[in-house]
Amino acid sequence: MYIPPQFEESRVEVLHQLICTYSLGTLVTLSASGMEANHIPFHLTPEPTPFGTLQGHMAHANPTWKSFNPELNVTQRWRWKWPKPSPL
């Protein structure tokens, strides 16, 4: 994904702090029915360094865990701040 240099953040300690502060993320997976996005809580463990381990929790009632394919990549994203409405 292209990120303009003025918006890029590559300091691991800053990224870790953002993840810890805003722990609710969106997990995007691919299933037989297509792409699915689920909001789930994440926990960051700092080991192994330097990037750590990101763990998420999905409720047993959520059907996504049943169709999850560990052979496929998943995408996780955060929204740091919710947008404010702007006048037109």
Side-chain angles (χ1 to χ4, degrees):
M1 180 172 96
Y2 171 71
I3 300 173
Q6 66 269 28
F7 298 117
E8 183 178 8
E9 178 56 73
S10 58
R11 296 171 294 174
V12 173
E13 65 277 2
V14 173
L15 295 171
H16 280 193
Q17 184 58 47
L18 286 169
I19 292 169
C20 292
T21 302
Y22 301 97
S23 60
L24 183 67
T26 305
L27 180 70
V28 182
T29 59
L30 183 62
S31 71
S33 59
M35 283 182 33
E36 297 182 14
N38 288 274
H39 297 288
I40 65 171
F42 285 89
H43 174 74
L44 178 68
T45 304
E47 300 296 327
T49 59
F51 301 112
T53 303
L54 187 61
Q55 298 173 315
H57 171 76
M58 187 173 293
H60 186 71
N62 186 330
T64 299
W65 73 268
K66 294 176 191 171
S67 63
F68 177 74
N69 183 348
E71 305 270 327
L72 299 175
N73 290 329
V74 299
T75 299
Q76 196 286 325
R77 64 180 297 273
W78 274 272
R79 184 172 212 156
W80 308 120
K81 293 183 180 180
W82 294 102
K84 295 179 183 175
S86 61
L88 297 177

